[in-house]
């Protein structure tokens, strides 16, 4: 457990069997800036009131409520009451998620997108299953218990999800945004500029920014920062040093990486490495 001040704290673990990350934390006031993850976020509020902006509206999560976010879904965090809030959350990679679903349901198609239909749920059975799965993973229960709890949670989650394929009919602006996204993914370690991307796509840079924000909710430069932060987490959990990670991902220096890391995740790159690096 690491304390940021007298009132805020968090616990972070990474399960060696499933690679699922779990966080139990308590925050007062402003918790974290808008950001996203490359994993599904599945959690519950234990105590207090948790507020966050997501899907163009303010979400309010209280005890007994679960919260479910898709990968790359932008969100922030705030405690509106003086006592703050405590929450538990599991970070589950899409590949692992699909694997578990196929284990449970033979009818799961090979090509589909999992999309959370509602950010908040009052379903007490779902909330109980998330709590059990979190405890099994976070506190390192025997593997057979972990598997049973995860299966139970996945079974409950299917009532909150829709399976759908990406539409083949997309607008020009969406097409431009998706092409720009591909360029950003391909240039995590390159100091690429917005003008350069716009010239490659043969569009005006202002049009590119509007199109990109319309599809992804972030400007291209902010999206690229999030991509690099996600990659930084992966590299740090593999044992790489923060300074090397910062250099590899085009942050100006280690402190630059550290500032963004703490703004979005509330802990430092070095602390994240210590808690997630598995030999």
């Amino acid at each position: 457990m690491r304390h940021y001040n007298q009132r805020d704290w968090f616990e972070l673990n990474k399960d060696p069997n499933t690679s699922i990350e779990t966080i139990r934390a308590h925050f007062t006031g402003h918790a974290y800036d808008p950001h996203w993850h490359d994993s599904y976020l599945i959690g519950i509020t234990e105590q207090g009131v948790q507020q966050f902006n997501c899907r163009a509206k303010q979400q309010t999560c209280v005890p007994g409520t679960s919260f479910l976010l898709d990968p790359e879904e932008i969100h922030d965090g705030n405690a509106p009451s003086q006592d703050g809030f405590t929450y538990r959350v599991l970070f589950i990679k899409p590949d692992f998620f699909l694997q578990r679903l196929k284990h449970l349901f033979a009818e799961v198609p090979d090509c589909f997108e999992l999309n959370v239909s509602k950010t908040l749920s009052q379903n007490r059975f779902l909330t109980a299953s998330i709590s059990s799965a979190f405890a099994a993973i976070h506190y390192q229960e025997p593997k057979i218990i972990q598997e049973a709890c995860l299966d139970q949670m996945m079974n409950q989650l299917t009532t909150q999800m829709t399976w759908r394929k990406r539409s083949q009919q997309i607008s020009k602006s969406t097409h431009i945004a998706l092409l720009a996204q591909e360029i950003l993914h391909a240039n995590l370690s390159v100091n690429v500029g917005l003008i350069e991307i716009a010239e490659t796509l043969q569009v005006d840079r202002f049009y590119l920014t509007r199109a990109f924000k319309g599809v992804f909710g972030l400007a291209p430069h902010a999206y690229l920062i999030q991509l690099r932060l996600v990659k930084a987490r992966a590299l740090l959990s593999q044992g790489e040093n923060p300074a090397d990670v910062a250099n590899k991902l085009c942050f100006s220096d280690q402190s630059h990486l550290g500032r963004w890391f703490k703004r979005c995740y509330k802990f430092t790159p070095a602390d994240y490495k210590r808690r997630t690096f598995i030999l």
Side-chain angles (χ1 to χ4, degrees):
M1 182 181 297
R2 182 181 178 92
H3 291 267
Y4 286 103
N5 54 46
Q6 293 180 346
R7 305 182 68 187
D8 293 359
W9 53 263
F10 74 88
E11 303 166 357
L12 166 67
N13 285 324
K14 185 172 183 178
D15 179 62
N17 296 320
T18 62
S19 293
I20 294 175
E21 290 183 17
T22 53
I23 291 179
R24 181 171 182 259
H26 178 83
F27 294 118
T28 55
H30 174 72
Y32 33 80
D33 287 353
H35 67 285
W36 51 258
H37 303 267
D38 63 343
S39 306
Y40 289 96
L41 270 66
I42 304 170
I44 61 172
T45 298
E46 285 187 28
Q47 166 272 324
V49 179
Q50 177 187 183
Q51 283 188 345
F52 58 96
N53 292 292
C54 183
R55 299 190 179 184
K57 64 179 293 187
Q58 186 179 78
Q59 312 281 348
T60 301
C61 191
V62 297
T65 305
S66 58
F67 54 94
L68 315 168
L69 279 73
D70 284 323
E72 300 187 11
E73 193 149 57
I74 304 165
H75 61 284
D76 56 12
N78 179 60
S81 61
Q82 187 175 2
D83 293 337
F85 67 89
T86 308
Y87 74 102
R88 301 180 174 199
V89 63
L90 301 98
F91 297 80
I92 303 180
K93 298 289 187 183
D95 288 347
F96 181 84
F97 208 107
L98 176 58
Q99 176 188 349
R100 297 303 299 183
L101 283 179
K102 287 189 172 183
H103 169 74
L104 286 171
F105 305 103
E107 67 271 21
V108 176
D110 290 330
C111 297
F112 70 96
E113 292 181 1
L114 285 169
N115 298 96
V116 173
S117 58
K118 295 192 300 182
T119 303
L120 302 180
S121 174
Q122 302 291 334
N123 186 323
R124 60 189 179 90
F125 298 107
L126 175 59
T127 299
S129 71
I130 294 172
S131 181
S132 296
F134 176 91
I137 298 297
H138 192 72
Y139 299 114
Q140 295 292 288
E141 296 283 354
K143 188 175 180 180
I144 191 170
I145 297 178
Q146 290 187 352
E147 291 176 346
C149 289
L150 283 172
D151 286 350
Q152 182 184 52
M153 184 183 73
M154 293 291 188
N155 186 57
Q156 288 293 330
L157 280 168
T158 56
T159 65
Q160 301 297 315
M161 295 194 167
T162 58
W163 300 346
R164 64 191 187 200
K165 296 181 180 180
R166 185 188 296 276
S167 171
Q168 300 300 314
Q169 304 271 331
I170 59 176
S171 66
K172 176 186 175 182
S173 61
T174 300
H175 180 64
I176 290 296
L178 292 173
L179 290 176
Q181 182 193 38
E182 292 180 4
I183 293 174
L184 294 176
H185 276 270
N187 287 275
L188 290 182
S189 302
V190 178
N191 191 18
V192 65
L194 183 62
I195 294 177
E196 180 183 351
I197 297 174
E199 289 177 348
T200 299
L201 298 178
Q202 298 182 332
V203 295
D204 180 89
R205 64 188 178 95
F206 301 106
Y207 175 86
L208 172 59
T209 298
R210 289 195 302 272
F212 200 93
K213 289 184 70 173
V215 174
F216 298 107
L218 286 175
H221 75 278
Y223 184 92
L224 182 58
I225 287 288
Q226 293 298 319
L227 281 180
R228 287 173 172 164
L229 288 173
V230 168
K231 182 63 175 178
R233 286 173 68 128
L235 294 175
L236 291 166
S237 68
Q238 294 167 11
E240 294 203 24
N241 293 321
D244 295 334
V245 171
N247 181 63
K248 185 175 292 186
L249 296 177
C250 291
F251 289 94
S252 58
D253 54 27
Q254 183 177 342
S255 63
H256 185 212
L257 168 63
R259 287 194 299 273
W260 273 105
F261 214 88
K262 287 196 69 175
R263 283 179 61 181
C264 290
Y265 305 134
K266 213 65 176 182
F267 40 82
T268 67
D271 194 32
Y272 181 79
K273 176 187 172 183
R274 283 195 299 271
R275 293 168 181 268
T276 62
F277 177 44
I278 302 172
L279 294 173

